[in-house]
Amino acid sequence: MSKPLRYVNAIAQALSDAMAADPSVMLFGEDVAAAGGPFKATRGLLDTHGPERVRDTPISEASIVGAAVGAALTGMRPVVEIMFMDFVALAMDAVVNQAAKARFMFGGQCSVPMVLRTPHGGGLNAGPQHSQCLEAWFAHIPGLRVVCPATVADAYSLLRASIEAPDPVVFVENKALYALQGDLDVDAPRGIGKARIDRPGRHATIVTYGATLYAARAAADRLAQDGVEAEIVDLRWIQPWDEEAVFASVAKTHRVVIAHEAVQAFGVGAEIAARIASDLFDELDAPVLRVGAPFMPIPFAKSLEAAYLPDADRIVAAVKDTLA
């Protein structure tokens, strides 16, 4: 059944539905219980599911994620929230050296079915320590899965899929999308590692994920006015990413631009561009181009942040360069 909902409320409903379906699912993090989370993504869950399963924690990201790893190893399915993605640096040992490695180091005898939810991204003038997009850090780690939904429907279905997964998932939410409204279908299929064709086209492919999807849509609308039909591939999953879908689109259009809000240097786009260049070179009619943030901290000032973030203008220019 489909109904309109805000992105942040889709997150809350996914959490509540997962807890109702599975008593091993529990939530903890800073201010997630009584306050309902800094962005209200856990509002009402304490009242619905009780203090044993929805817990506030001290301000200690290392303790939060370390406890989640232990809980997951002993049969629970914890979902932890790191208030801003920037703060996950304080929990890297638990994520990278414990959660990601446990299945391998114990010869497949155990798993760590936990989800780390965290918001990334700019647009709110939160400054350089509260706005970073660090998903490429985790995509580099074998044993972790990384997902970044762009729509209300995906926020729900991909969070449910992440909670049901047998291994740790880093679930990235762009905080600029929390107020976004869209249709939600709680019965939609749930899966891991599949991209989605957001808009079909035949002249060039735009590969993107998260909030940059909306810049890509705006770019595609403007390109259409010039007779250019751009196909948009919404990756959704960053690790594993859907090579089959991306390669099929590039084989059709023969030109590709990869756009994301994260810093362009050494980013997700760099890996995808390298794979296309090595495995799909004969299909290319132009170099693979990337659009990302510049190699600098995110400015606080509203005007500077707007100039920093990748936008439709830069995506349009990149697509036109591939067509030149």
Side-chain angles (χ1 to χ4, degrees):
M1 182 178 180
S2 181
K3 62 177 181 178
L5 207 64
R6 291 188 185 275
Y7 187 108
V8 70
N9 299 127
I11 295 290
Q13 183 167 338
L15 293 169
S16 188
D17 289 353
M19 296 181 79
D22 185 347
S24 71
V25 178
M26 62 184 300
L27 314 179
F28 50 95
E30 298 164 15
D31 295 331
V32 301
F39 299 100
K40 306 306 177 187
T42 54
R43 186 187 316 195
L45 298 183
L46 175 62
D47 294 336
T48 303
H49 299 286
E52 291 296 311
R53 299 178 67 195
V54 184
R55 301 189 178 204
D56 284 328
T57 68
I59 302 175
S60 174
E61 286 77 11
S63 298
I64 293 167
V65 181
V69 174
L73 285 168
T74 54
M76 303 301 291
R77 288 185 176 269
V79 181
V80 298
E81 178 178 309
I82 299 300
M83 191 178 291
F84 291 90
M85 193 172 201
D86 317 66
F87 303 166
V88 80
L90 297 163
M92 289 297 276
D93 181 68
V95 178
V96 172
N97 289 328
Q98 308 305 327
K101 306 292 192 294
R103 180 185 287 277
F104 179 82
M105 293 182 70
F106 289 100
Q109 298 179 77
C110 67
S111 61
V112 184
M114 62 169 277
V115 176
L116 188 156
R117 288 184 46 246
T118 189
H120 77 166
L124 302 183
N125 315 121
Q129 295 174 324
H130 296 75
S131 306
Q132 295 173 92
C133 297
L134 304 174
E135 54 273 9
W137 285 6
F138 300 102
H140 185 72
I141 304 300
L144 295 180
R145 297 174 180 178
V146 185
V147 60
C148 188
T151 67
V152 170
D154 280 349
Y156 179 89
S157 63
L158 298 183
L159 183 51
R160 291 296 305 274
S162 298
I163 294 170
E164 294 165 2
D167 295 299
V169 178
V170 178
F171 189 91
V172 185
E173 306 155 11
N174 192 296
K175 51 187 175 286
L177 297 180
Y178 279 141
L180 177 74
Q181 286 192 319
D183 289 332
L184 170 65
D185 183 359
V186 297
D187 299 317
R190 300 194 285 269
I192 290 175
K194 292 297 182 184
R196 179 178 62 86
I197 302 300
D198 184 75
R199 175 179 181 140
R202 61 193 178 95
H203 294 129
T205 296
I206 303 171
V207 178
T208 189
Y209 63 86
T212 311
L213 171 67
Y214 299 93
R217 287 179 176 178
D221 287 341
R222 286 169 50 185
L223 289 163
Q225 296 173 6
D226 295 329
V228 176
E229 298 176 20
E231 179 154 292
I232 300 175
V233 180
D234 178 8
L235 283 178
R236 306 199 291 182
W237 290 89
I238 296 167
Q239 185 61 270
W241 63 279
D242 193 344
E243 295 180 25
E244 182 179 357
V246 172
F247 285 8
S249 179
V250 175
K252 178 173 69 172
T253 67
H254 308 292
R255 296 170 174 85
V256 59
V257 171
I258 306 161
H260 53 60
E261 185 174 327
V263 169
Q264 178 172 305
F266 296 89
V268 171
E271 168 64 15
I272 296 173
R275 292 297 301 276
I276 292 171
S278 65
D279 296 359
L280 215 65
F281 182 80
D282 290 342
E283 293 288 354
L284 293 173
D285 288 344
V288 180
L289 297 184
R290 292 177 291 147
V291 174
F295 191 65
M296 62 171 286
I298 304 173
F300 174 81
K302 187 173 184 178
S303 58
L304 294 177
E305 185 188 53
Y308 172 93
L309 295 173
D311 59 12
D313 288 345
R314 291 174 59 191
I315 297 174
V316 167
V319 171
K320 287 184 175 180
D321 282 348
T322 70
L323 294 166

